[in-house]
Amino acid sequence: MSEVKTSIETDLVSLKHPDERGYYGEFGGAYIPEMLFANVEQLRLIYQEVIDDPAFQAEYKSLLRDFVGRPSPLYLAKRLSEIYCTNIWLKREDLNHTGAHKINNTVGQILIAKRLGKKRIIAETGAGQHGVATATVCALMGLECFVYMGAVDIERQAPNVARMNMLGATVIPAESGSKTLKDATNEAIRDWINNAETTHYIIGSAIGPHPYPDMVTQLQAIVSEEIAYQLTAQTGKEYPDYVVACVGGGSNAAGAFYHFLDDKRVKLILAEAAGKGIDSGHSAATSILGSKGIIHGCMTLLMQDPDGQIIEPYSLSAGLDYPGIGPLHAHLITTGRAKVYAATDDEAMQAVFELSKVEGIIPALETAHALAILSRIGAGKDDHVVVSLSGRGDKDLNTYMNYENIKDQVH
Ligand SMILES: *Cc1c(COP(=O)(O)O)cnc(C)c1O
């Protein structure tokens, strides 16, 4: 992958990769049951070699071009720019095959799984977006696919369950606990332990034990690689003043930030889901409400009670309804390299309707959190602000149509 070099880069310890134990500062690592050591170690030893291999890069890039539809456009949103008195560029991940950035990661990981000689793929999914992206690449490669999904989520997300079935995947309901994402994750990990030899586990965000956060970040880095040259081609300027992205686990943000991480001229902005409000007891604003602890195999910021029990997060947007945040982002936030703002359900909904009416683009509800904070980031009229338009709103249409009726419920 080509790197954007800047004159000040040499002064810094690069933020682009964790240390060899998988730490970004104090966050990251691999906290896994002993039964998974062999699998995670195998992945750790070869993922970088695979990613750097020219044959892998050629196959990955050609699938990104012809199957996913990359490069995605960098689009100057003129009317939105007028409203916010700055220059707003939308990085159109919503135009990707399957409708979001998640496919960049699953295309890369399926190629890595093939290199590892794995015949069977497992994944966990909440809203079903990562499940669909995984089922898609398994169909593409003819690999067996099992997607764990909470029984409650299966009911809530029927269209995505239908898509996964059509794509040939088996959706397995997680019936334990609250029957949602964290229970699906537990069952996926149990499956992995039992089928370690044959199975690759495709994690859908920049989370999990090392090497997942780094691997997923590198597989999403194509987004900022494109932003850098597209912005230069259209403005003559080689870097944006701001890059703004919503953050659930952190993969779209990691991809949009990657090539600018070490360039301090670029302000990195994260948008979290405040749900009903940060102090409402129904929120997913992890960086504000969270503290250091272990979730899904890594040390990071998560929402937990004083006994270390995970606090159920809440956001109307299923993709941001997650109690943790990837270790790269925990590091960026605690060191001040990235700034984080929280947007409520209501603010995100307003941003959905604004972008739809003003630009003719209906965004995903997750993405709308990044749009909802644009008036707060302090961008001036000469600044160039790139927003990661992580996904399209088709999947959220029911929520958009029924919002007035459902907004007083919390789940
Ligand atoms: C899943 C999802 C997200 C949140 O996941 P990240 O890993 O934080 O990017 C954001 N936007 C869309 C459209 C999604 O589907």
Side-chain angles (χ1 to χ4, degrees):
M1 280 179 214
S2 66
E3 305 266 311
V4 178
K5 293 267 184 252
T6 69
S7 52
I8 56 173
E9 192 168 9
T10 47
D11 300 334
L12 300 159
V13 176
S14 179
L15 291 164
K16 287 180 175 169
H17 297 285
D19 67 22
E20 70 280 12
R21 287 161 52 243
Y23 282 87
Y24 300 91
E26 51 185 321
F27 302 107
Y31 297 80
I32 48 173
E34 209 175 309
M35 306 279 286
L36 285 178
F37 279 3
N39 252 33
V40 172
E41 185 63 4
Q42 180 196 27
L43 190 60
R44 187 184 72 80
L45 288 173
I46 76 142
Y47 82 105
Q48 192 60 59
E49 201 180 300
V50 173
I51 288 179
D52 289 339
D53 176 35
F56 170 89
Q57 280 296 328
E59 196 176 2
Y60 174 58
K61 290 285 168 72
S62 106
L63 284 173
L64 288 182
R65 188 187 66 220
D66 300 328
F67 187 68
V68 175
R70 306 202 70 90
S72 65
L74 182 69
Y75 175 68
L76 177 61
K78 292 210 185 67
R79 298 186 63 207
L80 200 67
S81 297
E82 266 173 39
I83 293 173
Y84 292 100
C85 302
T86 187
N87 302 290
I88 298 173
W89 297 85
L90 304 177
K91 182 56 175 164
R92 300 290 309 276
E93 296 300 295
D94 61 313
L95 295 177
N96 292 343
H97 181 42
T98 70
H101 66 289
K102 286 196 171 75
I103 191 87
N104 304 324
N105 170 46
T106 58
V107 162
Q109 281 202 46
I110 202 82
L111 295 177
I112 292 173
K114 279 196 354 183
R115 295 299 179 89
L116 290 169
K118 304 292 184 183
K119 302 273 181 281
R120 186 174 173 273
I121 299 297
I122 57 170
E124 88 292 327
T125 197
Q129 293 303 106
H130 174 57
V132 169
T134 302
T136 299
V137 296
C138 287
L140 175 72
M141 295 298 171
L143 295 186
E144 240 189 329
C145 180
F146 296 90
V147 179
Y148 287 88
M149 189 168 184
V152 169
D153 291 333
I154 288 180
E155 264 173 50
R156 289 194 290 199
Q157 310 290 340
N160 274 341
V161 175
R163 283 185 188 101
M164 288 184 267
N165 287 329
M166 283 191 71
L167 293 161
T170 304
V171 179
I172 305 175
E175 303 281 3
S176 58
S178 58
K179 305 183 187 182
T180 58
L181 179 60
K182 75 170 168 22
D183 312 296
T185 303
N186 289 339
E187 300 205 8
I189 289 173
R190 196 167 313 143
D191 179 316
W192 205 25
I193 290 171
N194 291 332
N195 299 287
E197 284 279 296
T198 56
T199 301
H200 176 63
Y201 179 17
I202 299 191
I203 294 182
S205 191
I207 52 171
H210 179 60
Y212 280 96
D214 184 40
M215 181 168 71
V216 174
T217 295
Q218 290 190 61
L219 296 174
Q220 291 288 358
I222 184 73
V223 175
S224 50
E225 186 183 322
E226 291 173 5
I227 291 170
Y229 75 73
Q230 289 170 322
L231 189 74
T232 306
Q234 294 185 78
T235 67
K237 197 173 154 137
E238 71 176 54
Y239 63 93
D241 299 286
Y242 293 82
V243 182
V244 185
C246 69
V247 60
S251 67
N252 90 91
F257 290 176
Y258 185 80
H259 285 270
F260 309 113
L261 282 170
D262 296 333
D263 186 344
K264 288 252 168 94
R265 298 170 300 182
V266 183
K267 298 179 187 74
L268 306 177
I269 309 285
L270 292 164
E272 281 188 337
K276 300 281 175 201
I278 289 169
D279 300 321
S280 67
H282 303 289
S283 177
T286 313
S287 79
I288 298 157
L289 298 171
S291 55
K292 204 171 147 181
I294 295 166
I295 184 170
H296 296 171
C298 67
M299 178 67 72
T300 191
L301 294 175
L302 68 137
M303 290 166 50
Q304 55 187 335
D305 69 17
D307 298 327
Q309 295 297 314
I310 289 170
I311 296 173
E312 278 291 324
Y314 164 80
S315 166
L316 183 61
S317 127
L320 304 185
D321 192 358
Y322 181 70
I325 187 171
L328 167 62
H329 300 296
H331 181 58
L332 296 178
I333 292 166
T334 54
T335 56
R337 176 67 188 94
K339 212 166 161 185
V340 56
Y341 297 83
T344 62
D345 292 349
D346 277 330
E347 290 167 334
M349 285 297 299
Q350 282 171 31
V352 166
F353 290 115
E354 180 176 70
L355 191 73
S356 303
K357 297 229 168 76
V358 167
E359 294 290 346
I361 299 168
I362 302 175
L365 187 50
E366 291 83 5
T367 312
H369 289 72
L371 299 162
I373 62 161
L374 288 175
S375 63
R376 293 189 244 159
I377 62 175
K381 74 172 178 15
D382 296 326
D383 286 333
H384 291 278
V385 179
V386 174
V387 180
S388 170
L389 209 76
S390 57
R392 67 176 86 124
D394 305 33
K395 70 183 177 59
D396 298 311
L397 221 55
N398 258 326
T399 306
Y400 297 165
M401 290 188 303
N402 297 321
Y403 185 60
E404 287 308 315
N405 302 327
I406 62 178
K407 75 179 193 186
D408 297 325
Q409 306 166 4
V410 286
H411 268 291

